[in-house]
Each structure stands twice: as C-alpha cells, then as structure tokens.
Amino acid sequence: MPIQTAEPIIQMRHVDKHYGQLHVLQDINLEVQKGEVVVLIGPSGSGKSTLCRTINRLETIDSGEILFEGKPLPQEGKELAALRAEIGMVFQSFNLFAHKTILDNVTMGPVEVLHRNRKEAEAEAMELLARVGVEAQAHKVPAQLSGGQQQRVAIARSLAMHPKAMLFDEPTSALDPEMINEVLDVMVELAQEGMTMVVVTHEMNFARRVSNRVVFMADGQIVEQNTPDEFFDHPQSARAKDFLDSIKGH
Amino acid sequence: MGVAEVFTTFGDVYLKSVLSTWLMTAVCFAGGLALGILATVLRVSPIKPLRVAGDVYVQLFRNIPTVSLLVIFVYALPYLGATLSYRTCLLCCVILVVSSFASENFMSGINAIGVGQIEAARAIGLSFVQIIRLIVIPQSLRTTVLPMTNLLIATLLTTAMGSQVPLTPPELTGMVNYVNSRSVAGISAFVVSAICYAGTSVVLGFLGNKLDEKVRILR
Amino acid sequence: MSANVSMRDALYEAPGPKTQRLVRIGTAISVVLLVAFVAFVLRQFYVNDQLNPKYWSFFLRWTTWRFLLRGFLGTIKVAITAGIIAMALGLLLMLGRISPNRALSAICHVVTDLFRSLPSLLLIYFFFLVIPKYGLRMPAFWMITVPVALAASGVLAEVFRAGVNAVPKGQVEAAMALGMTHGKITRKIVLPQALKIVIPSLVSQLVVVVKDTTVAYVVSYPDLMQNARVLISNYDALVSMYFVVALLYIAVNYATNQFSIYLAHRSDTPVISRVDENPV
C-alpha cells in the first residue's frame, strides 16, 4: 500500500457539475495518493467518466476545487497545457491521430510539447512501442491496426510524456472480447511499476486484482469506496449490492 | 463547315479562348479557396457574431444563382457607385459562389476529424494553435481533395457565365455564339467547346483522384 | 457526452476567465465591424438615391407580385419538368452503366461523364443557336428545359449509382442465392432500396436545376428572372428589383436545401454527392 501520510497527488473537494438540469457530479470529494490505483465503477450515467475527465479539465466544473500536486488546476492557456502534459489520458475510442503514423503519434507530444530532439524522441518511442508489443506496426497508420493494438499505441503515446499520473476512461469498452486482455496486461504492468492511475472500467477482475481502492458511483455521487476485497465481498450500500448483483455472470 | 475549318478560321481566337477559360478557372478557384478559408475561420471562431456572419455569407452565396449575382454586379453596382469591368464582375461573382462551396467542403473536412482526436491532442498538452496547425488543417485539407476536385471542375463550368457579358476573347461557351454569328459553323464550334470542357474535366478529375489516393486518410 | 458536441464547439474548450474576456472584446469589435459594414451598404444606397420610395413602393402593389409570381411559376414549371426528365434519363444511364452488357455500360459511362462535364449554358446555346440552323425550332419552354435536364441527368446518374452502391452487398447475395436474375434483383431488391436512400439528394439537386433555369432569358422564356427584367424596364427600378429577385431565389433554394437536410435526417441517410453540385 502507498504511504498515506504524503500529500495526495489528486484532490477533489466539493466538486459539482450540471449538464443543464442533470446534476452529473454532486459534492464529489476524492483523494488519490501517489502510486495508487483507483478504479471508478458504477452503472452507466453515474458520472464516473465525467469525473475522470474533470481531472485534466477536459470537462469543466461548476463549483468546488480540484488540486493536482497541491495546486489548483489552471483554467486556460499555457499553464493548462503544461498540466495536461503531466497527466496521461487513455480514451475509450483510442483517438489516435488518423493522418499520422503510429511512430509519429507517439513522438508528437515529446517533440511538439516537450521540445525534445526528434531522433531521441523516436528512439524512446520505439522502446515504448516494443514494450506494448506493437513495434512492428510503427510505420503504419492507425486505421491499419486492430482496436487492441490502437489502444496499446494510445497508452504508449501517453507514456512518452512521462506522466505523473494516468487517467483511463473505459479503455477496454470499445474492444472486441479477445483484445481486452492485451490492453489490460499493459495496464497491470503499469500498476505494478507504481504508476498513479485513475481507471473508469467495467472490468471487475481488473478492479479486484490490481486496484488499491474501488470507488462506487451512482447518480453523480460517490456512494461508497473501499479496498477491492471489502467492496466486492461486503458492499455496504443497497445501490452497490444491486449493481454487483446485476453484473454477476458477466 | 467542319471542325477543321473552324480551326483554320477561328483557330487563334479559340486558342485565346481556351487559355482565358483556364486562367479564369484558376483565378476563381484560388480566390474561392482563399475566401472559403476566411469564411471557414469565421464560422468556427468562438465569437458568435462572426460565426453567424460566416454562416449567412455561405448560405447567401451557395443559394444565389450565379446569373442573379452577375446582373447585380454588372447592372446594379454602377447605380451604387461601383463600376467594374465585365471581367472583374465575372471573376468576383464566380469567386464568391465558389468560396461558399469551398467553405462547406472545409467544414465537412473539419467535422470528419471527430471530437476525440481534438481531446486527445489537448490531453497530451498541445496548445490551441498547435492543434489547428498539426491536426485540424492537415486532416481537413487531406480529406477534402475529392470534393475540391469536383469544385474545381464546377468552377470551370461556372466560368461559362462569361458568355452573358461581352468579353474579349470570349470564353469557351461565348465562342459558340461568337462563331455562330460569323459563320454557319455553329455545330462545329459547339463540338470543339464541348471537347475542351470535357477534356479539361477528365484531366482535372484524373489528377484529383491521383492526389487523393496519395494523401487520403484511412479511417 | 462529448459525442453530441459539434466539431465547431469542440475546437474550443470551455474558456477560462482570460479567454472569456478576449471573446467578449472580440464580440464587441466584430459587432461594431458588422454594423459598420451594413451601415456602409445602406449609405451607398442612400447617397445614390436608391432608397427613394419610388424604387420600392411598387413592391407594395399586388400586380407587381402577381407578375413576379407568374414568372416564378414559369421557373417552377421548367425546374419540375427538367427534374423529372433528368431523373428518368439519369436512372436509365445508371441502369445502363451497371448492366452486364459491356458495350452498353461503356456508352452510358461516357454519356454520363460528358453531361456532367458540360456547362448547362453550352447545352442551352446548342438548342438555341445551333439546332435552329438546321431548321428545327423548338418552343422556348423546351429550349431551356431540355438542356437543363441533360446537364442534370449526368449528375443524377451518379447520385443513383451512389444509392445503388449504398445498398448492402448481402441483399444482392441473398437474392442471388434465391436464384433471381440480374434484372430481377435490380428491379425488386436493389432499386427500391437505392431510391429511398437517394431521395434527399434528389431534392438537393433540385436547387442546381432551379439555378440552371435562371438563364431562361437567353431563350426569352418568361421565368422569374425574365419577368423581373420586364418589370425593371416598366418601373425603371433596376437595383431594387435585382436585389429582391436575388433574395427570392436564395429563399427558395435555402428552403429546398433545408427540406433535403430534413428528409436526410428523418430517414437517417446522408445527403450523398452534395459535392457534385454544380454551382452554376
């Protein structure tokens, strides 16, 4: 377990957000320690994806505050871009740049944002691609790869920025079943290396095996959070019990 | 009078006519693209009045018949204190019309990128200007090659409006009138002009397809 | 959530306080510029005496509108007739092109591409200037309708072909498995589905046809533009009339386009080949 006394790397305090009438985030309070793997689960529409996306301000919030390394999120401009460069993000739909090769997808951040030398960036990108097992595809374009391969490239693209934390927004939900594990394996490895991760997922096995903490959300609220064993074996709330019952057999 | 005689009698006028048609097509297409880019910038800007102005501009000029615009330029503008040469009137009209379609093409090119790639670019820390330069412009240019080729051919056909005003030399459609009023070779003139239009379209279409094959983005 | 955000909005993220201030300043400046532009145009009208009521008051008379409306009915008559001919011809060209007969297919391909690559004005000149020299004089209505229809038929053949290509391959395979012939498959399986797919595109092509009819004055056919020219000489009011007529055309074409988008939206089919539109 990570050391609980240090200052949390991500802090959310009394965060609220509305989409019109819909109250998607209601008084969210959440802390993530350095090196911790936090899994967000809950029924669809519970606000877990929105919560994940507020951490690098892809979604704005109405009130409350979000701190990264003790500092409030910048609201715009260079400061915001610099913060985002420190937080990796992996999307459900991969979102690789369609007009760039796999290699260029991975080097774009280091070259354009971190102003690294292209040669060095490419060498490191090749190492990262090898690590996620797609180095043979480096000179293809995204559409030529399978979903699982694309998602692994997306992870490599994030890693190339040497992020201090990574956000995963349902990274396996758009994948065919046989490709889910190749992506999860990469994520497990990252977790074991001590990467700070916030993961929105429906993969309960991953949550149970890898996470330090499970956060259960419903209707825009954090209903309960606990260690994976406690949560899955002894859920406290009725909502969580219903949810776990409904996904049994999956 | 056959096609051969048309060439011996009207050959040099025809040559000038073809060149003038090509030149006008090139000028109108380039001007249309430039104005189309400007209109597109307005339409995607975060400033509401500019967006509305861009939308209105495009709707006006993509829905107005070119003749209707041409008569305004040629006959109405002099009453409003602006007298332009016939050729300038024609070029302005075609450019305005082409620019509205060019902007529509650019907009669908931008729409094809998808929100996800923009968010991914943002998430790795690219600035707004970088996103426009590295993602939006290259992708929208590369996805609009075929529509823009069609627009280029349409521009060529639209310059036929030049036959409605006196031009020296006449462009290809005006040539039919020019030849017809001076000899009995009307049908030959029609055939020659038709071949020039069709030949140019075939070549432009071929080049457009080749370019598209080269730069097309797999999705 | 982000899926239903338009790309237009997605290019800019929710603005921070500095950006909000910049947007406010930009909005103010652009409003000033736009108002200045409109004011300049109005001023040009005013200083050239074009706002004088004598140029506009006759638009209050019913006779003016009746005459314009009659011209507009002429436009509609030509557009609808040309549209129907173009649809029939376009359908035939497409059917010829997809037929297993190589020679027929090649001929239809060439004819389709030829009609697509000629300006409608050139075709109008053919029927107006060239054909009469051989002793064949058609009524003005057909001298404008036939060339407009021919020009549109090439584009429509391509629209139909796109529709046929959009019918899922499995449909044809299933019909073949039942032992149906090529002709029967086309008639019973492919065409009904393809036609449904292309309806919005057919409507949007009507805009091109309406635009093409505006040169009907070349053959002295009384359409909207031609009747406007008559009114101009009657009232000596050129500027106001040409602007009003332009707005009428824009309104009609805009409405047609919106209707086509509505149809596409309702049937959940994209408007195909809008890019083929010839803006003449």
Side-chain angles (χ1 to χ4, degrees):
Chain A
M1 282 295 282
I3 308 148
Q4 296 286 339
T5 52
E7 185 184 49
I9 186 165
I10 299 165
Q11 287 169 274
M12 304 179 79
R13 291 183 195 148
H14 305 295
V15 169
D16 272 279
K17 181 180 176 69
H18 296 78
Y19 282 127
Q21 292 293 312
L22 199 63
H23 201 167
V24 280
L25 294 180
Q26 301 180 23
D27 192 31
I28 299 293
N29 291 283
L30 182 71
E31 295 190 343
V32 179
Q33 305 297 326
K34 200 160 174 48
E36 196 179 13
V37 176
V38 173
V39 168
L40 298 177
I41 64 172
S44 60
S46 59
K48 55 196 192 300
S49 267
T50 307
L51 189 156
C52 179
R53 291 161 54 87
T54 60
I55 297 173
N56 64 352
R57 205 185 174 275
L58 285 183
E59 300 280 351
T60 54
I61 57 175
D62 297 342
S63 61
E65 63 177 345
I66 302 176
L67 310 178
F68 186 76
E69 293 190 315
K71 290 188 290 285
L73 293 191
Q75 289 181 293
E76 59 196 325
K78 283 200 185 83
E79 299 78 14
L80 178 59
L83 168 101
R84 284 171 173 164
E86 295 184 338
I87 304 177
M89 177 133 193
V90 176
F91 298 85
Q92 179 177 348
S93 48
F94 331 136
N95 297 342
L96 296 181
F97 305 128
H99 64 310
K100 292 284 185 191
T101 63
I102 297 309
L103 184 62
D104 287 344
N105 261 279
V106 180
T107 56
M108 186 180 281
V111 171
E112 299 290 340
V113 178
L114 306 178
H115 305 292
R116 298 261 314 272
N117 169 304
R118 181 173 291 277
K119 278 265 149 351
E120 288 170 27
E122 283 183 358
E124 193 191 335
M126 286 309 294
E127 278 170 32
L128 286 168
L129 289 174
R131 185 169 151 196
V132 298
V134 286
E135 73 275 30
Q137 328 290 330
H139 299 285
K140 292 185 180 167
V141 293
Q144 295 170 300
L145 271 59
S146 73
Q149 289 173 325
Q150 289 194 51
Q151 195 60 300
R152 285 181 280 151
V153 173
I155 294 173
R157 175 173 67 180
S158 285
L159 290 176
M161 301 297 290
H162 299 285
K164 293 176 178 167
M166 285 185 75
L167 310 173
F168 292 82
D169 185 7
E170 303 204 21
T172 57
S173 297
L175 294 176
D176 291 335
E178 74 272 18
M179 294 172 182
I180 290 176
N181 278 333
E182 63 191 56
V183 171
L184 288 181
D185 288 347
V186 174
M187 291 169 62
V188 170
E189 209 177 292
L190 276 178
Q192 284 164 352
E193 286 166 15
M195 175 65 77
T196 309
M197 295 163 67
V198 175
V199 184
V200 178
T201 188
H202 297 289
E203 293 299 323
M204 296 305 149
N205 279 332
F206 175 86
R208 188 164 209 153
R209 263 191 319 133
V210 183
S211 74
N212 303 113
R213 182 155 46 112
V214 173
V215 175
F216 175 75
M217 286 184 74
D219 297 328
Q221 288 166 323
I222 293 180
V223 179
E224 64 174 278
Q225 43 182 316
N226 217 326
T227 60
D229 288 340
E230 274 301 301
F231 175 78
F232 286 110
D233 297 337
H234 311 288
Q236 303 296 306
S237 63
R239 293 297 306 261
K241 280 180 193 144
D242 286 349
F243 177 74
L244 288 175
D245 283 343
S246 74
I247 59 167
K248 253 184 202 144
H250 277 258
Chain B
M1 207 186 214
V3 170
E5 285 100 315
V6 169
F7 271 116
T8 48
T9 320
F10 300 104
D12 51 336
V13 189
Y14 241 115
L15 185 65
K16 279 185 198 153
S17 169
V18 172
L19 291 178
S20 146
T21 303
W22 284 347
L23 183 64
M24 287 198 295
T25 304
V27 169
C28 290
F29 188 63
L33 281 189
L35 258 188
I37 290 171
L38 189 67
T40 310
V41 169
L42 295 187
R43 294 173 81 190
V44 300
S45 81
I47 295 166
K48 200 71 187 285
L50 293 185
R51 274 189 188 199
V52 173
D55 285 346
V56 169
Y57 172 89
V58 167
Q59 287 306 332
L60 284 182
F61 290 112
R62 71 169 281 196
N63 285 313
I64 195 169
T66 316
V67 198
S68 191
L69 190 57
L70 190 61
V71 293
I72 288 177
F73 265 80
V74 173
Y75 301 114
L77 282 196
Y79 285 98
L80 297 169
T83 309
L84 307 169
S85 77
Y86 287 123
R87 196 173 290 275
T88 312
C89 287
L90 176 68
L91 293 178
C92 287
C93 289
V94 180
I95 286 174
L96 287 171
V97 170
V98 169
S99 71
S100 69
F101 285 89
S103 174
E104 292 287 66
N105 288 347
F106 282 129
M107 289 298 274
S108 48
I110 291 174
N111 280 328
I113 297 171
V115 177
Q117 287 190 56
I118 304 300
E119 289 189 338
R122 221 169 258 158
I124 60 171
L126 291 175
S127 69
F128 173 70
V129 177
Q130 282 176 317
I131 292 173
I132 297 293
R133 181 167 61 82
L134 296 169
I135 314 287
V136 177
I137 291 178
Q139 286 205 29
S140 55
L141 285 183
R142 287 170 61 173
T143 47
T144 50
V145 171
L146 275 190
M148 287 302 182
T149 306
N150 286 330
L151 184 60
L152 175 56
I153 293 171
T155 308
L156 167 74
L157 303 191
T158 310
T159 61
M161 278 301 145
S163 61
Q164 301 307 297
V165 292
L167 287 183
T168 333
E171 45 59 66
L172 280 170
T173 298
M175 269 308 278
V176 177
N177 197 3
Y178 179 88
V179 172
N180 204 64
S181 60
R182 283 167 182 74
S183 76
V184 291
I187 188 135
S188 304
F190 168 78
V191 169
V192 174
S193 289
I195 289 173
C196 290
Y197 278 119
T200 311
S201 300
V202 167
V203 171
L204 292 178
F206 175 79
L207 293 177
N209 271 319
K210 277 271 163 272
L211 181 61
D212 177 61
E213 273 168 30
K214 236 177 142 158
V215 304
R216 181 189 303 161
I217 298 168
L218 291 175
R219 284 185 203 278
Chain C
M1 300 293 158
S2 56
N4 44 30
V5 175
S6 80
M7 267 311 286
R8 231 179 210 221
D9 294 315
L11 288 185
Y12 301 91
E13 48 190 319
K18 259 190 233 158
T19 319
Q20 274 173 0
R21 208 173 60 232
L22 282 176
V23 167
R24 270 201 299 274
I25 295 170
T27 304
I29 293 174
S30 60
V31 165
V32 169
L33 287 178
L34 289 171
V35 168
F37 175 75
V38 172
F40 170 77
V41 171
L42 285 177
R43 179 189 166 275
Q44 284 307 101
F45 272 80
Y46 179 74
V47 298
N48 291 293
D49 196 34
Q50 288 298 330
L51 291 183
N52 190 321
K54 76 175 177 190
Y55 293 128
W56 299 91
S57 57
F58 62 91
F59 283 114
L60 293 174
R61 272 182 243 153
W62 167 235
T63 47
T64 306
W65 287 103
R66 199 174 55 194
F67 193 63
L68 283 178
L69 207 64
R70 210 178 290 152
F72 180 63
L73 283 181
T75 296
I76 295 294
K77 241 163 75 183
V78 173
I80 298 285
T81 315
I84 290 170
I85 296 174
M87 269 207 279
L89 196 55
L91 195 57
L92 287 178
L93 282 172
M94 184 277 288
L95 287 175
R97 191 167 171 187
I98 64 167
S99 91
N101 182 331
R102 287 265 184 87
L104 180 65
S105 171
I107 292 171
C108 290
H109 188 172
V110 170
V111 173
T112 303
D113 280 1
L114 186 69
F115 284 155
R116 280 176 65 208
S117 60
L118 296 184
S120 54
L121 253 172
L122 185 73
L123 293 168
I124 291 169
Y125 274 6
F126 179 76
F127 284 89
F128 176 61
L129 297 175
V130 179
I131 292 229
K133 294 230 163 173
Y134 296 87
L136 182 68
R137 255 209 100 74
M138 304 197 314
F141 176 77
W142 292 106
M143 274 201 288
I144 179 74
T145 303
V146 172
V148 167
L150 291 183
S153 68
V155 178
L156 289 188
E158 287 296 278
V159 170
F160 284 126
R161 202 163 63 93
V164 166
N165 288 339
V167 175
K169 288 274 171 293
Q171 299 280 315
V172 177
E173 283 163 9
M176 272 153 78
L178 292 176
M180 292 168 87
T181 59
H182 172 85
K184 202 160 195 185
I185 294 173
T186 307
R187 258 181 301 125
K188 300 256 167 170
I189 310 292
V190 178
L191 275 190
Q193 299 186 54
L195 290 181
K196 208 175 146 223
I197 296 171
V198 298
I199 286 172
S201 306
L202 294 181
V203 172
S204 82
Q205 284 300 322
L206 208 52
V207 171
V208 182
V209 172
V210 168
K211 285 181 179 177
D212 279 356
T213 64
T214 52
V215 286
Y217 64 82
V218 169
V219 300
S220 308
Y221 179 78
D223 75 334
L224 177 58
M225 185 63 90
Q226 170 70 6
N227 280 11
R229 290 156 78 106
V230 172
L231 285 178
I232 285 171
S233 48
N234 281 358
Y235 291 112
D236 192 26
L238 185 148
V239 177
S240 56
M241 185 53 82
Y242 274 152
F243 271 93
V244 167
V245 166
L247 285 178
L248 288 178
Y249 275 118
I250 291 169
V252 169
N253 290 339
Y254 178 77
T256 311
N257 268 328
Q258 291 304 109
F259 182 57
S260 136
I261 292 169
Y262 162 77
L263 287 178
H265 195 74
R266 209 188 52 173
S267 62
D268 207 22
T269 51
V271 180
I272 42 177
S273 89
R274 265 176 56 183
V275 291
D276 273 332
E277 264 183 77
N278 171 0
V280 176

